[in-house]
Structures are given as structure tokens and as C-alpha cells.
Amino acid sequence: MTDPSKNMIVRMFDVYKAYGKTSAIKGVSLEVASGDIVFITGPSGAGKSTLLKLIYKAEVATQGQIIVDGMNLSRIGSRQLPELRRRLGVIFQDFKLIAGRSVFDNVALVLEAAGEKPKIIEKKVMSVLRTAGIEEKARVFPPSLSGGEQQRVAVSRAVVGSPRLILADEPTASLDPDSAEQIMQLLETFHARGATLVIATHNRRIISRLKGREIRLERGCVKTQEISSDHEVEENQ
Amino acid sequence: MKDLWIRHFRHALKDMRSHRFLHGITWITIVLSIILSGTFTLFASNAADVISSWRAGVRILAYLEEGHTEQDRLRIHNILKENNLISDVRFISKTEALESLRSRMQRHSAVFQNLPENPLPDAFELRVRVEGNSWDTVEEVALYVEKIKNIEDVEYGGQWVGRFLKVIAMLRLAALGMGSLFFLISVFIVANTIRLAFYSRKEEVEIMRLVGAEEGFIKAPFYIQGLILGFSGGLGGMLILFLTYITLTFRMDATFTALAFDFSFLPLHTVAVMVGVSTLIGWMGAYLSFRQEVVE
Ligand SMILES: Nc1ncnc2c1ncn2[C@@H]1O[C@H](COP(=O)(O)OP(=O)(O)O)[C@@H](O)[C@H]1O
Ligand SMILES: [Mg+2]
């Protein structure tokens, strides 16, 4: 299992999530240590997206405890929700960029919401866009960008606030292999700068490329938790 | 802090521009509401001035017959003084009356320039206390005075004044009723407009929530829209009312002067209150639009 001396940034205890009659998550317990790279894998419909949504509280667990960066999600009200979200960077499967705002404004939004000064916003946004290689697209509107470029904007937005935890839901699913490779490099860069990564994916290439731990979901249950793809640990249900 | 408000303001103006038709209609609704309630308030406020001058005592003029003697005058003066419904008695000689008329109508002074003789009669000016809104006392006194020997005629507001009080009371009620109705209508229309502006940004709002924006941050531009609508609508309505007032009173100046009736515009503090209420309409509209937002 994970090293207990490490600081846990995500902990789940026996978590259930049902959408009406459909059970998407059934008794999941897991821990993510600070600085880890964790892949959530499994077939379509296994509950990967739901698991991530539970972490940034877009969905509320039906049962069980979730603690993210010291915040017990069942205890926080709508008032503390923005605080939680600002501590995380989320890369959504469908990008979720605002079509009517420039790339710069999309990324800047996070810092504006956090009450940063315009000068600092300008500096941080341009710096992150430079890292993502889309500096020259700052004034462009998202709909005129390619899928790969849009995803780089989405990554930029997720990391611009220097979150300790980055959640990514199939960040390469809709991309060609080259773009996927660039996105992974980008995520690697931010991991190297200290962020914890939790990535839902079924792209084997990505998993083998980044050294990380794999948590495999099947029909809402944790099937295996393996560390760097050769050491398997059976999960007690 | 300042930059943040500039940002909210920019977003508010951008929304108002992209929904200019709806915002325009809403603005016009507020302006019309303010003009209509303002008009009622204007009449009520002038009526209140008249009434408060009556509270000090209604003025009755008792004209003396031509050719009365000094003794007649003294006798009448005593009779009037003894009546305890009459609070004040003053003799106004015909010369005094002409002087005062001249000074009131300086514009038309040519008319009075070369009068062969003073056409005005001597008179007593009486004041009768009005208890409550009752006009009966005044009429009673007027009838009594008219019967005194050597009194030619009695002039007072006449019957219309008595009705006036009732009309004023109704006017006030109407002003209050209309005001409240316009207030509610305006609030609902503002709420509707802002809800629409908000819903057209639904996706954006959802994204802002996901990246951790506070509700206040998300909603501030919409509150600003409401405040801009309310404030500018109130100001616009008051301005239009004032310009209308200026135009009309300028034309009718002579008439008003002849009636010795001063029809003044709303006092500044009332204007401020009305613009304030209008701004409140905008704020309440925004507030209401969020109250009705479906909680997810
Ligand atoms: N909003 C929702 N309403 C109802 N059912 C849902 C909803 N989201 C997901 N599900 C169901 O929950 C299960 C897990 O879905 P999801 O977490 O999206 O899986 P994955 O991301 O691994 O493909 C699926 O059976 C899916 O149909
Ligand atoms: Mg999914």
C-alpha cells in the first residue's frame, strides 16, 4: 500500500454513489499521497468520472467519507465549496472552456475568482500559456482552436492557480497521439513542480509513460491497486 | 478591490449591450413607473403644501359695503373678535389691497398704472382654524359673517376647497397604490430580465463554479445590471418629469401668478428618495431573479 509517512491528499472510506437506481461507485476506499501520480482505469461506465466528480464535489457521495486536502467533503457546506475547488485543478473531459471569452480570459478566470491583482494575473497566465506552448493564442477564442490546443488551454486553466492536486478526466481521449503526447508532457511538467496527479484514462500508452500507481475500477468497485504496473495488491472488499 | 469592481462593471455593461432590447424595455418600464408615481407625488406634495397652509388657518375675506362708517367698521371688528372660531382678524384697507395686488403682479403692472380710482373694497381678513380635514367650521363661519350688517360679500375657498380635501386624500391613496403597483411590476420585470441574462450565461456560470468562484463574484455583474437599470431609470424618469414641469409651468406662469398659487417641483429630498427607491427596485429585481433560480 502507500507509504503511511506521506501526507495523504485524498482519502476515501467505503464510498458509495448512486444515481437513482444506478450504483456508480460501490464501497470504494483509497488514498492518494501528496506528490503521487494515480491513474484511475477501467472500462467505460466503470465509474471513473464519478470518482473524480466526488473528489471535486460535483457529485455528493451517497455514503462514506471523502477527505480532500484536509477537508471532509460531507462536512463542508456550499460556502466552503469554492475554497475546495480553488485548491484543485480539474481538467474536464469536454474541456469546459467559455466560448465567448479569449484563451487568456478563460485561464485568468481562476485567478480573478481567487481575487488576484491584474498584474499578477497577467504574469501568471502568460507564463502558464508559454509552458503550454499556446502563448500566441492568448487573444484567440476557444472555438477556433484545434482539440489539442483547447485541451492545452484546459490544462493551463487547471494549473494556473498552482493547485496541490490536479484531476484529469480522460485528458487525451479526444486527441491524436501527438497532441496526447504533448498533454502528458505538460502534466508531467506540473507534476515535477509539485502537483499530485489523479488521471482517469484507459490509454495504456500514457500509463506506461508516466511512472504512477494504477487503480482499476470495474462496475464501481476497486478491482486492483497496483504500483508501477508489476506489483499488484488485492483490495479487501 | 477596485480592479475587481471594474471587471464586474465591464461584464455588466457587456451583458446589457448583448441584451439591449430587453434591458431597454426594462429601463423604459422603470422610467415610466417613476414618471407616473412622480406625477402623483408631485400633485400630492403641492396639495400637502396647500393643506399645511390651511392648518395655520383658512383665510376668509369679508368685504365691506361701499360707504360704511368708521363706527361700522369697529362694530364689525368687535363682533368678529368675539367669535371663538375665528383665530385672527385683520383689517385690510382698499389702498393696502391694491398695493399688495400690484406687488404680486409686477409683470402686469401696466394694468394698474393709471387707474382713475381704486376699484377694490375695504375688507377684513379672518383666519379660521380647520380641525382635522373638516371644512364645516369654515362654512359655518362664512355664513355667519355674511349676515353681519354692512358686510357686502364673503370670499373663501368656496365649496371646491372642501371637496379638494377629499380629492387630496384619494389622490394620496392612489399615489400610494399606484406607486406600490409600479414598484412590484418594475421589480418583476427587472428580475425577469436579469434571470434571462443569467441563464444566457448558464454554462459560463457553471464553469465559474467549477473553478471555485464564489457566488458573490459570479452574481456581482448581475446585481450591477439591476442597480444600473434602477438608478439610471430613476434619474431618467425624474429628469423627464422635471423638464415636463419646467415646460408646462413656464407656459402657465401667468395663470399661476394670477391665482397666487405656487405649483412647485418635488423637493430635492423627495427626488433623492425616488431615485433611491428606483435603485432599490433594480437591486430587488436582481435578488429576486436569484431567489427563483432552481437549486441543483
Ligand atoms: N448523471 C448521471 N445520471 C445517471 N447515471 C449516471 C450519471 N453519470 C454517470 N452515470 C452512470 O454511472 C455509471 C458510471 O459512469 P461514469 O462515472 O461516467 O463512468 P466512466 O467515467 O468510467 O465511463 C454509468 O453506469 C453511468 O451510466
Ligand atoms: Mg468518464
Side-chain angles (χ1 to χ4, degrees):
Chain A
M1 283 275 244
T2 34
D3 183 352
S5 66
K6 274 198 199 168
N7 181 16
M8 296 301 157
I9 195 156
V10 180
R11 296 165 179 219
M12 288 192 171
F13 304 106
D14 201 25
V15 171
Y16 287 79
K17 172 65 194 176
Y19 296 104
K21 282 182 180 168
T22 338
S23 289
I25 297 290
K26 293 176 241 174
V28 168
S29 296
L30 59 83
E31 289 185 330
V32 176
S34 204
D36 268 7
I37 296 179
V38 172
F39 294 104
I40 313 286
T41 61
S44 184
K48 304 182 293 294
S49 296
T50 303
L51 192 74
L52 293 184
K53 283 176 186 167
L54 288 172
I55 296 173
Y56 63 89
K57 215 183 171 187
E59 295 290 352
V60 179
T62 320
Q63 200 186 309
Q65 298 288 315
I66 304 170
I67 295 162
V68 178
D69 201 13
M71 298 175 98
N72 188 332
L73 300 198
S74 60
R75 297 260 173 80
I76 66 166
S78 54
R79 284 183 173 273
Q80 290 115 291
L81 191 56
E83 162 74 24
L84 168 77
R85 302 246 170 104
R86 287 199 297 271
R87 290 193 197 178
L88 311 176
V90 185
I91 300 159
F92 307 95
Q93 193 168 356
D94 56 353
F95 309 144
K96 289 206 193 297
L97 299 175
I98 300 169
R101 293 201 196 173
S102 69
V103 165
F104 181 92
D105 288 344
N106 265 279
V107 178
L109 181 63
V110 178
L111 300 176
E112 283 179 358
E116 281 283 19
K117 290 192 167 65
K119 270 191 186 156
I120 295 172
I121 293 177
E122 170 85 25
K123 218 178 86 195
K124 285 190 176 174
V125 172
M126 289 319 288
S127 150
V128 85
L129 290 181
R130 204 172 306 131
T131 309
I134 44 170
E135 197 182 359
E136 71 284 4
K137 304 280 186 188
R139 298 290 151 203
V140 171
F141 288 78
S144 61
L145 296 175
S146 72
E149 286 168 333
Q150 288 190 32
Q151 189 61 295
R152 279 190 266 170
V153 179
V155 173
S156 302
R157 184 183 60 191
V159 301
V160 74
S162 315
R164 297 185 57 207
L165 175 62
I166 296 169
L167 307 175
D169 195 355
E170 312 215 17
T172 57
S174 57
L175 306 181
D176 59 87
D178 278 354
S179 302
E181 174 60 26
Q182 284 165 350
I183 292 298
M184 291 321 291
Q185 266 174 17
L186 200 52
L187 287 174
E188 210 175 3
T189 306
F190 290 106
H191 174 253
R193 292 184 190 176
T196 308
L197 301 182
V198 176
I199 303 167
T201 184
H202 32 222
N203 189 333
R204 282 273 136 211
R205 272 238 305 256
I206 287 172
I207 299 167
S208 52
R209 196 182 170 292
L210 293 181
K211 281 244 176 314
R213 185 156 63 93
E214 182 180 347
I215 298 176
R216 187 171 171 79
L217 287 180
E218 260 172 45
R219 276 188 239 102
C221 301
V222 174
K223 206 66 194 160
T224 54
Q225 288 201 18
E226 52 185 62
I227 298 158
S228 59
S229 73
D230 46 31
H231 190 83
E232 288 200 6
V233 180
E234 279 297 321
E235 184 77 358
N236 300 328
Q237 292 292 317
Chain B
M1 225 18 226
K2 201 180 100 228
D3 305 305
L4 191 66
W5 285 107
I6 291 172
R7 173 203 179 270
H8 290 327
F9 221 84
R10 268 214 330 268
H11 280 267
L13 292 179
K14 199 171 143 196
D15 262 13
M16 293 180 86
R17 226 175 302 130
S18 51
H19 298 275
R20 53 177 108 53
F21 183 70
L22 203 66
H23 273 90
I25 289 189
T26 310
W27 189 79
I28 290 169
T29 309
I30 296 174
V31 168
L32 287 178
S33 299
I34 289 295
I35 290 176
L36 285 167
S37 334
T39 308
F40 272 100
T41 315
L42 185 60
F43 280 105
S45 133
N46 275 286
D49 285 350
V50 173
I51 289 175
S52 69
S53 78
W54 286 350
R55 292 250 186 274
V58 173
R59 189 163 161 266
I60 295 179
L61 281 174
Y63 298 109
L64 289 141
E65 276 173 2
E66 194 75 20
H68 63 275
T69 63
E70 185 78 23
Q71 267 170 333
D72 289 334
R73 207 175 81 203
L74 273 170
R75 178 179 43 85
I76 296 167
H77 200 149
N78 283 333
I79 295 173
L80 295 174
K81 263 180 152 173
E82 270 162 31
N83 192 314
N84 51 18
L85 290 174
I86 298 167
S87 61
D88 192 25
V89 181
R90 198 168 74 88
F91 178 70
I92 301 170
S93 72
K94 54 166 81 175
T95 332
E96 207 180 318
L98 189 64
E99 274 316 306
S100 115
L101 191 63
R102 267 191 185 138
S103 72
R104 262 195 284 152
M105 305 189 71
Q106 270 167 352
R107 262 175 224 245
H108 309 272
S109 57
V111 180
F112 305 104
Q113 218 59 87
N114 298 307
L115 287 173
E117 62 175 297
N118 187 346
L120 299 173
D122 286 328
F124 277 107
E125 187 191 53
L126 321 174
R127 292 212 173 265
V128 179
R129 248 178 216 301
V130 180
E131 300 298 337
N133 277 352
S134 165
W135 191 249
D136 299 345
T137 336
V138 183
E139 274 185 339
E140 202 180 300
V141 173
L143 283 172
Y144 170 76
V145 174
E146 206 168 18
K147 288 191 192 117
I148 299 171
K149 196 164 172 276
N150 292 110
I151 294 285
E152 165 128 58
D153 197 11
V154 171
E155 194 182 278
Y156 65 108
Q159 279 208 314
W160 68 270
V161 184
R163 291 205 196 104
F164 188 60
L165 284 168
K166 283 187 193 124
V167 172
I168 296 299
M170 276 163 65
L171 194 74
R172 278 196 168 159
L173 211 67
L176 209 69
M178 295 282 259
S180 316
L181 190 70
F182 287 136
F183 184 88
L184 287 178
I185 290 173
S186 304
V187 168
F188 274 105
I189 288 180
V190 171
N192 218 55
T193 300
I194 291 187
R195 194 176 320 124
L196 223 103
F198 189 72
Y199 269 85
S200 74
R201 292 200 177 278
K202 193 93 187 92
E203 210 190 341
E204 189 173 331
V205 165
E206 209 39 61
I207 292 169
M208 287 203 266
R209 283 182 179 145
L210 286 172
V211 302
E214 304 279 349
E215 286 303 293
F217 177 89
I218 293 170
K219 288 171 181 171
F222 298 96
Y223 274 103
I224 290 174
Q225 286 173 48
L227 292 175
I228 290 177
L229 280 174
F231 181 73
S232 67
L235 221 55
M238 278 293 136
L239 195 70
I240 292 171
L241 190 65
F242 183 67
L243 292 178
T244 312
Y245 164 82
I246 291 281
T247 319
L248 291 183
T249 48
F250 184 72
R251 288 229 186 104
M252 292 202 238
D253 200 19
T255 325
F256 282 136
T257 316
L259 287 170
F261 179 49
D262 191 19
F263 191 80
S264 50
F265 193 65
L266 295 169
L268 203 62
H269 68 262
T270 308
V271 174
V273 165
M274 293 206 73
V275 175
V277 167
S278 182
T279 312
L280 184 70
I281 287 174
W283 188 86
M284 282 180 70
Y287 180 77
L288 195 71
S289 75
F290 295 127
R291 293 265 64 180
Q292 292 176 342
E293 191 198 352
V294 188
V295 182
E296 282 134 293

